[in-house]
Amino acid sequence: KSKILITRDNFGCGSSREHAVWALLDFGFSIIIAPSFADIFYSNCFKNGLLAIRIDTDIVEQLMKTESEIEVDLENQKIQFNDKTFSFEIEEHRKKNLLFGLDEISITLQDIDKIKEFEEASCALGKGDTD
């Protein structure tokens, strides 16, 4: 029933397709905590709304051994368990996208007025061309 998967180094190695992330989401996970991730897998996590947290190996080992509830606070970038609190780093744009539920399409649509303006200007330039 856990929404958090805790794992070891280089998680996602060999998983260059988004299907690996989709499977984890389908299984019910919303957060993965590991010391490191394979680059493509890490990127695919955020593209699909899965929080991937990189944190020191010793903290991962503590998390694996605990039987208490683990709480992740994305907004404040904190992991809490057993009266302990640890900070984690995340790129600001990834954090914003997760907090606001933004994907690549919704991010693009934030600039829809600029896109329409560009298209209209491009079409106007193309009128009258015979080449």
Side-chain angles (χ1 to χ4, degrees):
K1 296 180 182 180
S2 178
K3 302 283 183 199
I4 302 172
L5 175 63
I6 302 165
T7 186
R8 294 200 166 85
D9 289 322
N10 203 25
F11 188 78
C13 179
S15 301
S16 63
R17 295 180 181 231
E18 290 181 80
H19 295 83
V21 175
W22 296 344
L24 292 167
L25 289 167
D26 286 347
F27 200 74
F29 293 111
S30 56
I31 301 168
I32 302 175
I33 301 173
S36 63
F37 294 90
D39 289 338
I40 295 172
F41 177 83
Y42 184 78
S43 178
N44 285 338
C45 284
F46 291 98
K47 287 181 180 182
N48 289 281
L50 182 64
L51 173 57
I53 299 173
R54 294 179 181 137
I55 201 156
D56 291 335
T57 302
D58 62 321
I59 298 170
V60 168
E61 293 301 324
Q62 290 179 51
L63 288 166
M64 287 186 161
K65 292 177 184 174
T66 189
E67 292 184 19
S68 66
E69 188 171 303
I70 299 168
E71 184 178 321
V72 175
D73 178 353
L74 174 57
E75 190 167 359
N76 295 304
Q77 296 175 221
K78 305 276 185 205
I79 299 172
Q80 296 177 318
F81 68 101
N82 290 344
D83 297 325
K84 298 177 184 180
T85 302
F86 298 97
S87 297
F88 62 90
E89 296 298 318
I90 182 171
E91 297 89 345
E92 193 60 36
H93 72 280
R94 294 184 194 274
K95 177 179 171 179
K96 176 188 167 194
N97 293 348
L98 288 172
L99 286 172
F100 293 102
L102 302 174
D103 61 13
E104 291 175 339
I105 293 171
S106 57
I107 292 166
T108 302
L109 290 176
Q110 289 178 337
D111 292 319
I112 193 68
D113 292 336
K114 292 177 186 175
I115 294 168
K116 287 179 181 178
E117 184 179 311
F118 175 82
E119 287 178 343
E120 289 169 4
S122 294
C123 288
L125 287 175
K127 290 185 178 181
D129 287 345
T130 57
D131 294 338

